[in-house]
Amino acid sequence: MTVAVVQFGGSNCDRDGVRALEHLGIGAERVWHEDGLPDDVEGILLPGGFSYGDYLRAGAMAARAPVMQEVRAAAAEGVPVLGVCNGAQIGCESSLTPGAFTTNESARFQCEHVYCRVERADTPWTAAYEKGEVLRLPIAHAEGRFEISEKRYDELEETDRILFRYCDADGAVTDEANPNGSTENVAGVLGERETVAVLMPHPERATLPDLGLTDGAGVLYGFDPSLQS
């Protein structure tokens, strides 16, 4: 398959995404947003970075780019879509997933490794893991705090759409393990379809053995779960 890695002005993780996917045996190509999606697109990655310089709100301007209409249409047809960091912000701003990502509780940019607990292991993005497994992943964001109304959060819980929560090394979900103040330590969520997901940590930066961390590879297998066997 071939995954379209959508590049906006200010994206800076598109090459990282392509390299990580190709390392796993998944074909990938960078697609400039103004060119639109390829007709035969089989997967879509919205990468991290600072699309449009994060003016207005992070991801808000990119979410209104014409290509996102194509992304939403593809998602509705079951094409796998993953938003990472700035891509997660774009995904929320595009209503691919609920909630929003806003300024970190610390009010500063944070670049560090965190722990995330797998809340579901029966989705394409988490089938490589066990429920409750703890992953070590990097974050790099200033607006990564997941916010959602109490009513919408309850809906997420009721429909089992929370993928990852920030936790400590032992898997305990605590305030101290929450790097940005996200509601209920949420680090990643599903859209209405399980083939659509967003998360703030960077799985593509935790895929190549050369980088010393491979915990994120299983997330990217969501584009082609057959490669897990």
Side-chain angles (χ1 to χ4, degrees):
M1 71 181 303
T2 298
V3 175
V5 181
V6 183
Q7 181 187 29
F8 296 92
S11 298
N12 65 13
C13 297
D14 40 290
R15 290 179 175 84
D16 301 44
V18 169
R19 186 178 179 193
L21 288 166
E22 290 182 341
H23 169 75
L24 297 176
I26 300 170
E29 62 176 304
R30 287 190 297 146
V31 175
W32 180 244
H33 71 97
E34 291 181 344
D35 295 335
L37 297 177
D39 292 336
D40 59 348
V41 65
E42 297 175 278
I44 301 166
L45 173 63
L46 302 174
F50 303 93
S51 58
Y52 295 94
D54 280 352
Y55 292 113
L56 295 184
R57 296 182 307 277
M61 294 177 71
R64 286 153 180 79
V67 71
M68 290 308 300
Q69 297 180 24
E70 298 179 46
V71 173
R72 285 190 291 270
E77 293 176 1
V79 173
V81 178
L82 178 67
V84 174
C85 197
N86 188 229
Q89 296 159 342
I90 295 169
C92 282
E93 292 283 347
S94 302
S95 298
L96 286 168
T97 53
F101 291 97
T102 187
T103 305
N104 295 346
E105 198 168 57
S106 66
R108 62 182 178 85
F109 181 84
Q110 293 176 237
C111 183
E112 59 196 82
H113 286 92
V114 299
Y115 293 102
C116 295
R117 191 177 73 187
V118 178
E119 298 297 281
R120 285 186 59 180
D122 59 345
T123 77
W125 312 105
T126 54
Y129 309 113
E130 298 291 332
K131 183 176 180 179
E133 186 172 346
V134 176
L135 312 180
R136 188 167 181 254
L137 300 171
I139 60 169
H141 58 250
E143 296 179 55
R145 177 163 55 101
F146 182 72
E147 286 289 328
I148 193 168
S149 70
E150 184 175 347
K151 179 181 178 181
R152 294 302 303 278
Y153 176 78
D154 289 343
E155 291 174 359
L156 281 182
E157 285 274 24
E158 291 166 5
T159 55
D160 207 11
R161 289 165 60 187
I162 298 172
L163 268 187
F164 302 102
R165 293 186 199 273
Y166 298 111
C167 64
D168 65 19
D170 296 318
V173 175
T174 65
D175 289 342
E176 292 75 19
N178 190 339
N180 50 35
S182 289
T183 299
E184 299 296 336
N185 287 53
V186 171
V189 298
L190 289 169
E192 292 185 3
R193 287 176 173 263
E194 292 184 354
T195 47
V196 177
V198 301
L199 72 160
M200 191 50 51
H202 285 269
E204 81 286 1
R205 296 186 184 179
T207 295
L208 299 173
D210 291 351
L211 299 180
L213 195 60
T214 59
D215 286 4
V219 177
L220 300 183
Y221 277 131
F223 287 112
D224 190 352
S226 68
L227 293 175
Q228 297 178 37
S229 57

